[in-house]
Amino acid sequence: MIAFEEKDYTKRFDPNLWKKLGVFLKPYRKRLLVLALFMIALAGVDALFPLMSRYAVDHFIIPATSRGLGLFTLVYFMLILIQSGNIYFFIAIAGRIEMDLTYDIRKKTFQHLQELSFSYYDRTPVGWMMARMTSDSLRLGSFISWGLVDMVWGLSLMILIAVIILILNWKLALITLTVVPVLVILSLFFQKKILGAYRIVRKTNSKITGAFNEGISGAKTTKTLVREKENLREFQNLSRNMYSSSVKAAVFSAIYLPVVLSLGSIGTGLAIWLGGEKVVLDLLSYGTLVAFISYTVQFFEPLHEMARIFAELQNAQASAERIFSLLEEIPQITDSPEILETYGNVIATGKKEKAVIKGDISFRNVSFAYKNGEKVLQNFNLDIKAGETIALIGETGSGKSTIVNLTCRFYEPDAGEILIDGCDYRQRSQLWLQSNLGYVLQSPHLFSGTVRDNIAYGNLEVDDAKIEEAAKLVNAHEFITTMEKGYLSEVGEGGSLLSTGQKQLISFARAVLADPRIFVLDEATSSVDTETEKKIQDAIQKILRNRTSFLVAHRLSTIRSADRILVIRKGEIIESGNHHELINRKGHYYSLYTNQFLEERETVVLNS
Amino acid sequence: MNKMKILWNFMKGYRSLYIFSISSIGIATFIRFIWPLLLRITVDSVIGDKPLDVGGWLQPVFSGLFQQLGGRTSLIQCLWIFGLILVCLTLAQGLFLFFKGKLSAVASEAIVQRIRDKVYDHLQYLPFKYHVNARTGDLIQRCTSDVETIRRFLAVQLVEVGRALFMVGFALSFMLPMHLTMTLVSMALIPPIFIFAVIFFLKVKKAFQSSDESEGRMSTVLQENLTGVRVVRAFARQSYEIRKFDIRNCEYRDLTFRLIRLLAWYWSVSDFMSLLQIAVVMILGTYWSAIGMISLGTMLAFSSYVGMLLWPVRQMGRVLTDMGKALVSVDRIQQILNEPVEDSGTGNAQNYLQGNIEFRNVTFGYEHDKPVLKNISFRVSSGETIAILGRTGAGKSTLVHLLPRLYDVQEGAILIDGRDIREYDKKVLRKNIGIVLQEPFLFSKTLQENIGLAVENYTEADIRDAARAAAIDDVILNFEKGYDTLVGERGITLSGGQKQRIAIARAVIRNNPILIFDDSLSAVDTRTDATIRLELQKRPQRATTFIISHRLNTLAEADRILVLDNGMIVEQGSHLELLHKDGMYKRIWSIQNELEEELASEINDRNAELNVNNGKEIQIS
């Protein structure tokens, strides 16, 4: 098992990355533009309100007249209407872009995952891939849409205000704006600190989740070891860390806002002082002073939103990098260009490759090592005739599963070739082979949905009669019909509503329905009760008839009936022959057989 | 409201911090309310020439101050004072905002820390039975996301409610003295805005929920696809999977977008009403000041106040619905805390046991009238090894679980060293009994820490010694980091047999007078099994040992074998004794003969090779 290593991500702004992201943004260029326009409009109206106050003061209050107030009211009302409309549209558009973008990212990533080879799945935890598809895609989508919203609104509001007050009175404007650079720098500084602090909080939080997980799953063990006190002490260390890092993060936020407010108030104070003096000297109208004061307050509002965006850029970039690291992973196993041209790939299937598989399989000088350097096969040779049943036995890690994986083309040989019906399988499409495979695993994997859905997974184009037929063949029909909704009963997430034996029978039915030429049973009969066990054995006998098949580590009764038994050790066949031959040889198979015989029989005696 | 009371109890010890925090926000809000007043005085009575008139209770305070500073004539020369006062007020307001932030963070985090510790501790002391039946996922969710919901409520929303109340209170006491009609006009739309917010957030709950649910469905498809990648590939169902995922992906996108559109609609309407409220103040204020009913400063002050009031009012809708969520979470946590913990038992503090055990007519069942063990009696003297054999569900595990009092007997008694185990302190009992469970749990610590988990002081030699006894020492030394290798998600994944052996080492290191192996050698091969048993016998102090096993050699080597069936001891005795009885034990031993016969027939019957279907004849029946 290779420990999965999380890469470190760059902290600087990376233009290349955002260029790559451009591909995703391309379909939304128009909408992003519209969104930006709405945000500018929103900022525009926001910036107009103080001017309206100025007009009211200078044209109605100071001259003490209400002439024209009707029109003023109408204009004001129109502005409100426009603004409400702006708000609706910008939220709806930004939301649309956010959802569409994350949808696209998820779709593309999922497709790519379907093409990636097993070697990728071997070294990547499912949780990691899940996180890319869920939290990272969402974070990136929302950063792009809502980030744009805040940036465009904030920038245009600040620019508009600066322009307006410069026009109103440039000297006063310049003086009140002196605090801006200080504020910008402080905001950036604080937002970085705050985000950094919250990152630590999140990390500690996931440790706490881990500790709860362990505390709950390990409670029984803890009890027998009388370790409650020590566990609590360890947990308290964690929760204390959580306390102090959370408080630290909260204190940063608690300092930031007052600092911005106070600095901002210097601008307003300057406006009152210097503006007031000008009003007294009649150099400035009352209305302008009022507008000035509003603007100095309004000006600083977008600032911390924008500082936040800049700080978040780093997180969004890390998300993007992780998503691209997945998307740029090159599938190890691909079809040749000619094949792709004629038959399409696994996603966009073109014509089906018609050639029927007979089932002759040959390994010619095959060498293979896993990505972690673990050499499994070297110069391995094996010839299997169509319709033969091969049992592979050997210890964990001996290479028996690898032989099967190579046969299925889940991996390809590093050297040598594997021939199917006399032709190197790399000259055919992956689909050609894999749509002729039947594969039943030790721990059967079912999908949420009905029993019927799960059986039909083997062949999507069959009717209910065929499905029932398949279920009857593997002795699954009986238990299915006793279920409340029969074939339409839900199996639960991962088949959790069924017993292991039932899941196994369904996965057999699924494989039967596919009517494969090559069949693999990978430790397919694990601990199930005797009754089910017998049914499964019956099913296996029926399924294997006339198909090239592999049995990996099995019950004796199944192994005995194999045409050929291969004992594998360290990637080599150390014994080969049928049951009788091998028993008479009194070698490895003989001792394996006797051991397993005793264990199997004992179970039978105990449970009789 | 019972839940409120629970929450109130959680807050014990930090309530005063909250009072300070809420007072701080009150003071900050108060200061915030002064500055429109200041603006009004500046505009009306300094720059303008109206007499100072703020009305009501404010009048004496401000006119006094105004005169102190020298009245209009001197103040008009030093307008900078007002700028300065504004900055000072903001600083003071900022200071109290900081207090509020810090105090509520300290209080909420401390309360949550206490809840976490309490729940964690409580869970550990819940009886064994609880954990056997527990739904782990649900429990973890309660301990994490429910706690987080409570935290958010305590850290943000609780204080926010305080702020809103202060806002309304101060607004009334500042605005009313200034102008009654203007006050009424300024507050006219506040109730509808508030009610709209509350109703909206209650109604939109469903949309939030359906978005969450569809995300769940999407994750399920994703997870099932990723974990079932072999099945997908083997059936070449990639394009089918892509379509299936696309349906969920679309559904999630559309449902979430529907939610966003609802929110867009809400904010648009709510903003419209808020802007309308501002407009009403603005236009009526303008009109009234134009006709001389109010002053310019009053109009300006009122527009400031309205702006300040609107935001918290709109937030309240959200806060109130979130408060509902927090109370539900409180309830879910309390449900855990209400589960009665295991009573550790007071008893005799004798710290060392000999290991003489007696079961006296013991009857036990998990449910009251369904006994799993019926009237079990037997004696074991110190140092004996007892093997237990029986089919699945015969009561083997239950029997050994009774010894460390993971469950208590219903009838009869178990005696250790002649004393009823219910008279012992459970902790003492468990510290003296090493039990290795069938599926042992390893903690995500290093191997060394895992082995030394249950002993206070250990040397490296102790660890190695225990590991050797469990036949795992050489395996560990083969790991790159040896004994410092981390176990679990961030470290290596051990095989079932390796885990069992670590658990054995963990039990052995304690040198307990009583050792129990609950089928805990099932995943190691026969040879290692034998090695471990040999090593255990070599240990300086021979423990009274119970081994649940199916392995013939293990059974044969025990001093005594108990055969359990249907909750009763059906056979009991040494290997030789039992071989002379015609029972289950003998039948199991006779399998060996069966095997030999079969092998003999295989070898003799060479012709059978030609018979391909031979296997079917000897199928297990």
Side-chain angles (χ1 to χ4, degrees), chain A residues 239-365:
Chain A
S239 70
R240 204 176 307 125
N241 277 345
M242 182 69 183
Y243 167 82
S244 47
S245 57
S246 305
V247 169
K248 194 177 161 197
V251 165
F252 272 128
S253 317
I255 297 175
Y256 172 65
L257 195 66
V259 166
V260 173
L261 278 178
S262 305
L263 273 173
S265 76
I266 293 177
T268 316
L270 285 170
I272 292 186
W273 169 25
L274 300 169
E277 278 180 352
K278 288 198 162 76
V279 173
V280 175
L281 298 172
D282 247 349
L283 292 171
L284 201 70
S285 73
Y286 266 107
T288 310
L289 177 64
V290 168
F292 244 97
I293 293 170
S294 297
Y295 282 133
T296 51
V297 176
Q298 211 180 8
F299 187 84
F300 301 109
E301 271 171 21
L303 206 67
H304 65 265
E305 289 299 317
M306 288 171 63
R308 192 176 49 81
I309 302 286
F310 273 114
E312 266 177 14
L313 181 77
Q314 222 181 72
N315 285 342
Q317 199 168 279
S319 292
E321 252 175 85
R322 284 188 294 253
I323 290 171
F324 281 116
S325 80
L326 200 162
L327 282 177
E328 282 164 9
E329 188 72 38
I330 297 158
Q332 294 291 311
I333 299 173
T334 46
D335 290 330
S336 64
E338 303 90 68
I339 293 285
L340 284 176
E341 200 170 310
T342 358
Y343 304 109
N345 62 3
V346 288
I347 293 159
T349 351
K351 301 185 274 188
K352 266 203 179 154
E353 200 167 356
K354 290 256 166 61
V356 178
I357 293 185
K358 261 174 63 202
D360 290 330
I361 300 168
S362 305
F363 280 61
R364 290 278 147 79
N365 302 319

Side-chain angles (χ1 to χ4, degrees), chain A residues 53 56 60-61 64-65 69 73 76 80 84 87-88 91-92 96 99-100 103 106-107 110 113-114 116 118 130 133 209 212-214 217-228 231-232 234-236 239-240 242-243 246 250 255 258 261-262 265 268-269 273 276-277 279 286 290 293 346-347 405 431 434 437 439 445 447-448 457-460 493-494 510 560 579-580 584 590 593-594 597-598 600-602 604 606-608, chain B residues 39 43 47-48 76 79-80 83 86-87 90-91 94 98 105-106 109-110 113 116-117 120-121 124-126 128 131 140 143-144 218 220 222 224-225 227-228 230-242 245-246 249-250 252-253 256-257 261 264-265 268 271-272 275 279 282-283 286-287 289-290 296 299-300 342 391 427 430 435 441 443-445 453 506 510 550 584 591-592 594-595 598-599 602-603 609 614 618 620:
Chain A
S53 311
F60 305 113
I61 299 176
T65 167
L69 193 60
T73 308
Y76 207 109
I80 293 175
S84 308
I87 287 165
Y88 177 82
I91 296 179
R96 183 88 252 179
M99 293 326 294
D100 284 348
Y103 166 84
R106 274 196 296 262
K107 185 173 179 167
F110 189 83
L113 279 170
Q114 302 312 304
L116 283 175
F118 276 31
M130 294 274 294
M133 300 278 290
T209 308
F212 267 119
N213 193 350
E214 209 168 83
S217 320
K220 283 175 277 182
T221 299
T222 301
K223 207 166 276 295
T224 60
L225 295 175
V226 200
R227 210 180 175 274
E228 290 92 345
N231 277 355
L232 179 66
E234 284 170 18
F235 182 80
Q236 277 171 332
S239 70
R240 204 176 307 125
M242 182 69 183
Y243 167 82
S246 305
I255 297 175
L261 278 178
S262 305
S265 76
T268 316
W273 169 25
E277 278 180 352
V279 173
Y286 266 107
V290 168
I293 293 170
V346 288
I347 293 159
N405 282 334
L431 269 182
Q434 285 165 359
L437 271 182
Y439 194 79
H445 180 91
F447 298 90
S448 315
Y457 203 82
N459 189 344
L460 302 171
E493 222 169 277
R510 176 168 72 187
R560 293 168 55 120
H579 177 69
H580 302 283
N584 282 310
Y590 180 85
Y593 181 81
T594 49
F597 183 91
L598 292 176
E600 282 187 19
R601 276 307 170 92
E602 193 194 323
V604 174
L606 277 174
N607 293 319
S608 59
Chain B
L39 185 68
V43 170
I47 303 174
I76 202 163
L79 273 170
W80 59 268
L86 173 66
V87 175
T90 318
L91 274 173
F98 168 74
V106 168
E109 295 298 339
Q113 181 190 5
R116 284 195 186 110
D117 290 352
Y120 185 91
D121 200 33
Q124 293 205 94
Y125 284 104
L126 285 176
F128 195 75
H131 287 288
I140 292 171
C143 297
T144 53
M218 185 182 76
T220 305
L222 181 57
E224 285 183 346
N225 173 275
T227 49
R230 279 169 185 272
V231 177
V232 175
R233 300 293 164 93
F235 289 101
R237 285 283 169 268
Q238 286 96 325
S239 56
Y240 171 77
E241 286 291 311
I242 288 170
F245 180 73
D246 197 46
N249 196 4
C250 276
Y252 172 58
R253 176 193 65 187
T256 310
F257 180 63
R261 226 170 34 201
W265 185 76
S268 160
D271 270 3
F272 176 75
L275 287 170
M282 176 85 209
I283 287 158
T286 304
Y287 178 67
S289 27
L296 168 61
M299 195 280 263
L300 292 179
E342 189 175 33
R391 69 179 67 182
K427 272 179 253 153
R430 287 176 193 166
I435 175 165
F441 184 86
F443 291 84
S444 39
K445 299 168 176 288
L453 205 60
R506 180 167 73 185
R510 298 207 297 184
H550 290 302
M584 189 186 270
I591 296 171
Q592 279 199 323
E594 238 178 86
L595 172 69
E598 198 208 301
L599 290 175
E602 293 281 356
I603 292 165
E609 281 170 35
N614 185 294
I618 323 172
I620 293 167

Side-chain angles (χ1 to χ4, degrees), chain A residues 359-527:
Chain A
D360 290 330
I361 300 168
S362 305
F363 280 61
R364 290 278 147 79
N365 302 319
V366 169
S367 295
F368 179 79
Y370 284 103
K371 273 279 168 301
N372 58 358
E374 183 193 338
K375 275 183 197 159
V376 190
L377 298 182
Q378 262 176 319
N379 269 323
F380 185 82
N381 284 292
L382 176 63
D383 282 297
I384 300 165
K385 283 196 292 293
E388 229 184 333
T389 300
I390 304 288
L392 297 165
I393 54 181
E395 287 168 14
T396 320
S398 59
K400 52 189 196 309
S401 296
T402 308
I403 295 171
V404 169
N405 282 334
L406 285 169
T407 308
C408 297
R409 210 178 160 193
F410 291 154
Y411 300 87
E412 286 177 353
D414 298 332
E417 53 183 9
I418 296 172
L419 311 179
I420 291 185
D421 295 345
C423 164
D424 185 344
Y425 66 20
R426 279 173 292 200
Q427 286 170 14
R428 303 278 197 161
S429 71
Q430 289 178 72
L431 269 182
W432 173 72
L433 173 59
Q434 285 165 359
S435 48
N436 275 298
L437 271 182
Y439 194 79
V440 180
L441 280 160
Q442 179 183 25
S443 45
H445 180 91
L446 299 190
F447 298 90
S448 315
T450 62
V451 171
R452 188 197 180 280
D453 292 343
N454 271 289
I455 299 178
Y457 203 82
N459 189 344
L460 302 171
E461 287 140 14
V462 294
D463 53 18
D464 288 353
K466 284 266 172 149
I467 287 174
E468 234 168 84
E469 201 179 295
K472 275 181 189 151
L473 187 70
V474 300
N475 303 323
H477 181 71
E478 202 180 313
F479 91 80
I480 296 171
T481 42
T482 58
M483 290 170 80
E484 203 182 316
K485 288 185 181 163
Y487 281 85
L488 297 178
S489 311
E490 290 286 328
V491 301
E493 222 169 277
S496 57
L497 297 176
L498 302 179
S499 74
T500 313
Q502 292 173 331
K503 282 196 268 185
Q504 225 141 31
L505 289 180
I506 287 183
S507 74
F508 275 123
R510 176 168 72 187
V512 166
L513 202 63
D515 191 22
R517 297 306 310 150
I518 299 170
F519 215 99
V520 177
L521 298 177
D522 194 348
E523 308 200 33
T525 48
S526 46
S527 48

Side-chain angles (χ1 to χ4, degrees), chain B residues 118-177:
Chain B
K118 204 168 163 185
V119 173
Y120 185 91
D121 200 33
H122 193 86
L123 278 169
Q124 293 205 94
Y125 284 104
L126 285 176
F128 195 75
K129 191 179 176 181
Y130 180 88
H131 287 288
V132 170
N133 301 324
R135 292 192 305 152
T136 318
D138 175 60
L139 275 182
I140 292 171
Q141 179 137 32
R142 286 177 196 226
C143 297
T144 53
S145 50
D146 281 319
V147 169
E148 173 62 20
T149 310
I150 297 175
R151 190 198 67 79
R152 220 178 309 131
F153 174 75
L154 290 173
V156 187
Q157 288 142 5
L158 190 62
V159 186
E160 216 47 51
V161 176
R163 185 217 290 269
L165 292 177
F166 276 119
M167 277 276 181
V168 176
F170 289 140
L172 288 174
S173 48
F174 274 79
M175 285 152 79
L176 273 175

Side-chain angles (χ1 to χ4, degrees), chain A residues 226 228-229, chain B residues 125 344 425-432:
Chain A
V226 200
E228 290 92 345
K229 279 208 182 107
Chain B
Y125 284 104
S344 131
D425 186 331
K426 274 184 190 166
K427 272 179 253 153
V428 172
L429 206 56
R430 287 176 193 166
K431 277 190 178 157
N432 276 287

